[in-house]
Amino acid sequence: MTAHKDSPTNGLTYADAGVDIDAGEMLVDAIKPLARSTQRPGAEASLGGFGALFDLKAAGFEDPLIVTTTDGVGTKLKIAIETGRHDGVGVDLVAMCVNDLLAQGAEPLMFLDYYATGKLDVDAARRVVAGIAEGCRQAGCALVGGETAEMPGMYAGGDYDLAGFSVGAVERGHVLPYLDRQSAGDLVIGLASSGPHSNGYSLVRKIVEASGLSWGDDAPFARDRTLAQALMEPTRIYVKPVLPLMKAGLIKGAAHITGGGLIENPPRCIAEGLSAAFDWDAWPLPHVFEWLQNTGGVSDHEMRRTFNCGIGFILIVAPENAEPVLAALLNAGEAAFVCGQLVAG
């Protein structure tokens, strides 16, 4: 075939510009089985289309409201990149979104991710997406799509960033919090965190730097684990143990303890004129937070507004419902405890 006279015969390609289309296709092929493993009623969880459909009727909803959230993993990713520990950050990404849905009483249905990098490392990206699929399985939602963007010049070397997007639903009239049902004397139940989760890692990294330790050194606060292993523990996902309690009408309010810690997040689920009075002696400060506080010389107030301090999620319950709620959570394998109560003012 004769080339058009105006067509260059040996011009630049996308690969010459630093974008590897073949690598992107390899990644899509690698993650298709991961997406299929997250299928649930209402979603086929297949990749390749221009959009994803969800059948709310097939999922059992009658008169639902749609709830959406978006979030990232923050500078915890820097540790993943520096240490090559990519497997858990996908769980973090899902957790940060679906726990927010849960705080409004919504059931997570679908999840999508955005992965941006300067140079696509197919193995690292596959490990990240495998973590996303694991998080979706823990939350009971379907991984229905995503976007991988290779952007040379925007990100250096093996750097990458993640964003997550989740869609949930809740029946009309069951959106949390129930502000008009709250009163002084209601109890605050805390669900234990697995560590700092995905918040405060700019401060974490600064404290580690000041400590003189490297990521491969033994963690001073965790037996038989390196510092990287201990600090990269994925965020807990609370959907499966908590959602049935919400559907049973036992929960008046809930908060996901993320950035802002135990100072700024609880007021988001508490009625005006009330506040949460925490009993700070009701649970021991986990060793990781003790080490961060002591090594960094961080004040109690700064700890409580930066980190979750051992509580990843809180529930507001009537005193008469505290016992059955705690029993159900403990039976589901959660470490849960009364950590305060609502007071006037």
Side-chain angles (χ1 to χ4, degrees), residues 100-106 170 173-182 246 251-255 265-272 314-316 342:
D100 279 357
L101 289 178
L102 183 65
Q104 293 200 254
V170 57
H174 294 276
V175 179
L176 290 177
Y178 299 138
L179 299 179
D180 58 343
R181 303 182 193 178
Q182 296 178 4
M246 293 177 170
I251 310 300
K252 296 185 179 185
N265 287 289
R268 297 162 70 180
C269 73
I270 297 173
E272 187 175 354
I314 64 166
L315 304 172
I316 309 298
L342 298 191

Side-chain angles (χ1 to χ4, degrees), residues 26-36 47 125-126 129 143 148:
M26 288 173 58
L27 177 61
V28 171
D29 288 340
I31 64 180
K32 280 182 178 178
L34 299 172
R36 284 195 294 269
L47 302 183
R126 186 201 63 78
V129 177
L143 175 58
T148 301

Side-chain angles (χ1 to χ4, degrees), residues 4-95:
H4 189 280
K5 65 179 181 179
D6 295 327
S7 299
T9 56
N10 42 330
L12 291 173
T13 66
Y14 215 2
D16 293 327
V19 179
D20 190 340
I21 296 175
D22 293 335
E25 292 176 348
M26 288 173 58
L27 177 61
V28 171
D29 288 340
I31 64 180
K32 280 182 178 178
L34 299 172
R36 284 195 294 269
S37 74
T38 68
Q39 288 183 349
R40 55 151 294 153
E44 292 298 327
S46 60
L47 302 183
F50 289 97
L53 302 177
F54 193 93
D55 187 342
L56 287 165
K57 187 175 181 180
F61 288 91
E62 296 179 0
D63 185 20
L65 297 173
I66 295 296
V67 187
T68 61
T69 60
T70 183
D71 212 331
V73 181
T75 57
K76 189 175 186 178
L77 285 179
K78 289 292 290 181
I79 307 176
I81 293 166
E82 291 172 11
T83 64
R85 300 189 63 84
H86 307 291
D87 303 270
V89 291
V91 177
D92 287 308
L93 187 67
V94 175

